[in-house]
Amino acid sequence: MKAFESKKSGRGSKIVVLVILVAIVGAGFVVSTLTPAKGAIGVGDNPYTRPYPMKHGYWKHQEEFYAFASGGQQGGIYVYGIPSMKLLSEIPIFNIDPAWGWTLANKEVKEMLTDPYTGEVVTTGDTHHTILSRKDAKYDGRWLFVNDKKSARMARMDLDTFRTKQILWLPNVNGGMHGFHSGPNTKLLVGNVEFEGYPEKKIRDYLNIPIDKLKGPYVSCVFGVEVAEDGTMKNKWQVWGPWQYDMVRVGWGAMDGWFINTAYNTERSVNTVGMFKRPEDYVFFWNIASIEKAIADKKYITSDEAPDVPVIRWKDVECYAAPCPLNPHGLDLEPSGRFAIVGGKATTIVRHIDFLKVKAEIDAKNFVGEEFGIPIISGDKTSGDIDAGLGPTHIEFDNEGYLYAGFFVDSDVKKIAMGGPWTKKHGKEPWSIVDTIPAHYSVGHLLVPGGDTAEPYGKYLVIMNKLTKDTFPPHGPLVTECHELVRIDQTPCPLIDQMPLPPETHYAQAIPVEMIAKKTKFIYDMKLPPKKPNVVYDYGKKEVHVVMTAVRSFFIPDSFTVPEGWKVNLTLTNVEQSYDISHGWALCDHDVMESIDPGETKEIVYTASREGVFWYYCLWFCSELHLEMRGRMIVIPEKEWSRDLEWKAK
Ligand code: K7E
Ligand code: CUA
Ligand code: CA
């Protein structure tokens, strides 16, 4: 970002001034030292307080980044601005939300929410990781991918409409899809299955690992998804083996061609205590070309469920393990792609593993052991530890050579100067803590804009806290989450703002406003001319096909007739060509509630199950005659029906 670049040169002197000022006024007032206070708090040019009186469009010009935050059990995502910390949108993905017309009456949505392998429609989801698409390991603003941990599926959202265009379901697994990440050019996504897989017998036999349905132990998989030029996702391969996997990063730079993932349950236990039995667990290093080679060499089988997805044994690919601190969670890749940083959440240790050293050990075939045929690399020769605090969770990076590690138990973030080539840049003791940033409370993921790419934008850190307790006024036993905004281009790092956000963000990413704002669609591309309003009766299929248009302040047709029990197939077009003029289509006494944006066409499918007169009406206050924007569906018992009752164009 330009603003960020220009600030770099003056950093050193600014820090000195700040340190002195902080010493005088105390850390709590650092914010006010950034811009000298003129008059009362909340007045003046301070970018973190709104002007008074308020200027129109102030926040639009103030915003530097869009943040995309997973919604966890809310099933979709949130979009908010940085630094305003103002919520812009709450978008449904795996859940349903009529405000967006994201419902089962919407044909397209129902298809996406239907599991192709079981036929089940699943309208609850648990979104964890947002993954922005990238080019050369930097965000490119094309798409946002999000996973549903619970039902093992992932969605692709187009960033021009902020709508999901595809949901890809995983075959052979029973849920528990956790970490996933994109390759440097988003041609390959790699994901982990965290929970025990109990695949069909064919796969179990192929693995030749005895598993008892009641006692385990685990088998599970890591999988690859191919992303086409237009964003279409396709299951590409699954590698099954004796462990579960949690977090994953697909390498770039020094680690190009590899991906890494963790297992916190190398004990392969099916209960909590058992998952803590070993002193350390593993980080795995996987060679992507070796997976492609296994496929080319036909070293795979396919399941009956998914005959087009190669299932590969872990032994048939190149994979290495290195020890990592007990029960790891956060696993991240430093911007040059050389250091893997991993935190053992049941320890105080953040470990940095140097991939160049790992690669040297692999090339020299220098191993200290093996487990299930996987060579084990010496931890002493390839890594170092930072004893940094209790419960290290996730990690992000800036572009100045610092990593930020969140601590769930300590409730803080440690800013750590990295070693290797970064030492020259920051001049600090390598792998040393330079600041401790308090958090409220119990840190989960962290967000630095671009913090999981080759070129982080830096400047801000958002701490995503798991517990909020007394941060906001009480609002019942279920309490909001808390996202805290911190400036990190200065040390100590001051807290700028706290934002309540409903449950429950896991990961979030932020991308410069200009990368998204310029491509946002204001109006859908409408197929012209729109289909003429019409009602067609199909006596063979007992279906009515209604073609309807919506425009301020009419639905055309504004009434139609249906024989009782028939299916209604409604194609509804909002023919408006005006920004922000959405209409709704709610059908009284039926589970049909849609929203339709300017230029958009939707297919709505439901059954006219009971006799009567049912009004449909617009949901958005679209014009001064919005209340009048309504019509009637008239349902007539079949025995009273005659063709004379058919709707006819006037
Ligand atoms: Cu730590 Cu699912 Cu990435 Cu929650 S995950 S915090
Ligand atoms: Cu259309 Cu209200
Ligand atoms: Ca363990």
Side-chain angles (χ1 to χ4, degrees), residues 102-172:
W102 206 255
T103 71
L104 294 182
N106 182 325
K107 195 175 163 207
E108 190 193 2
V109 172
K110 187 172 178 183
E111 276 169 15
M112 283 196 273
L113 295 178
T114 304
D115 183 341
Y117 303 109
T118 65
E120 194 185 350
V121 181
V122 183
T123 59
T124 48
D126 180 17
T127 53
H128 276 237
H129 297 108
T130 58
I131 298 294
L132 284 161
S133 61
R134 50 200 80 198
K135 194 168 186 307
D136 301 329
K138 289 167 279 183
Y139 300 153
D140 63 6
R142 283 180 294 170
W143 311 298
L144 180 81
F145 301 89
V146 192
N147 73 313
D148 171 14
K149 170 168 171 170
K150 179 175 71 84
S151 291
R153 49 187 175 165
M154 53 210 282
R156 185 191 81 249
M157 176 185 287
D158 280 3
L159 290 175
D160 53 354
T161 55
F162 285 36
R163 271 188 206 245
T164 295
K165 289 295 157 60
Q166 189 194 357
I167 291 177
L168 181 79
W169 295 68
L170 290 192
N172 307 328

Side-chain angles (χ1 to χ4, degrees), residues 550-555 576 581-584 617-623 625-627 629:
V551 72
R552 282 161 290 175
S553 301
F554 309 91
F555 290 114
E576 301 279 358
I581 304 296
S582 293
H583 295 291
Y617 67 95
C618 177
L619 287 160
W620 294 98
F621 209 113
C622 54
S623 77
L625 292 178
H626 153 73
L627 298 175
M629 187 170 174

Side-chain angles (χ1 to χ4, degrees), residues 252-493:
W252 64 82
M255 210 185 277
D256 201 25
W258 296 74
F259 67 85
I260 50 176
N261 62 0
T262 45
Y264 57 79
N265 183 20
T266 53
E267 296 86 348
R268 306 173 70 215
S269 172
V270 287
N271 59 61
T272 310
V273 173
M275 295 181 194
F276 280 90
K277 279 211 175 125
R278 288 180 161 196
E280 293 198 305
D281 288 291
Y282 288 135
V283 172
F284 298 98
F285 297 82
W286 303 79
N287 181 291
I288 296 171
S290 76
I291 295 172
E292 279 151 13
K293 184 167 184 303
I295 297 169
D297 293 347
K298 302 259 170 342
K299 286 186 179 165
Y300 65 84
I301 57 160
T302 58
S303 64
D304 294 340
E305 186 169 279
D308 56 340
V309 182
V311 169
I312 306 160
R313 270 187 304 221
W314 81 102
K315 292 187 214 168
D316 292 328
V317 305
E318 231 188 290
C319 175
Y320 307 90
C324 86
L326 184 66
N327 286 32
H329 188 42
L331 170 74
D332 293 273
L333 200 52
E334 160 272 324
S336 78
R338 174 173 161 187
F339 293 98
I341 314 290
V342 57
K345 66 182 186 291
T347 71
T348 59
I349 302 298
V350 175
R351 183 166 293 174
H352 46 94
I353 306 175
D354 186 342
F355 185 69
L356 297 182
K357 291 180 180 165
V358 167
K359 191 69 192 356
E361 296 297 296
I362 293 171
D363 292 345
K365 297 201 178 355
N366 220 351
F367 304 118
V368 294
E370 64 90 30
E371 191 171 0
F372 290 104
I374 293 187
I376 297 167
I377 294 162
S378 158
D380 294 340
K381 283 191 184 160
T382 56
S383 64
D385 287 351
I386 313 154
D387 192 350
L390 206 51
T393 310
H394 289 287
I395 300 125
E396 287 267 279
F397 304 89
D398 66 14
N399 216 8
E400 303 290 322
Y402 296 96
L403 72 82
Y404 300 81
F407 292 79
F408 186 93
V409 183
D410 278 357
S411 274
D412 59 25
V413 175
K414 308 293 191 323
K415 178 172 182 173
I416 296 173
M418 288 192 287
W422 294 107
T423 315
K424 233 167 103 199
K425 186 149 192 175
H426 53 58
K428 302 267 172 18
E429 174 84 8
W431 309 111
S432 66
I433 298 170
V434 299
D435 194 15
T436 297
I437 307 162
H440 310 85
Y441 302 90
S442 298
V443 184
H445 269 281
L446 303 172
L447 150 69
V448 172
D452 71 331
T453 72
E455 277 182 26
Y457 299 100
K459 190 169 176 180
Y460 298 108
L461 164 74
V462 178
I463 305 171
M464 291 170 279
N465 296 290
K466 293 288 158 197
L467 305 174
T468 310
K469 298 187 187 286
D470 59 357
T471 309
F472 303 106
H475 41 280
L478 179 66
V479 185
T480 180
E481 305 288 294
C482 176
H483 288 212
E484 295 185 294
L485 181 70
V486 172
R487 272 298 278 266
I488 55 170
D489 52 354
Q490 47 196 264
T491 312
C493 304

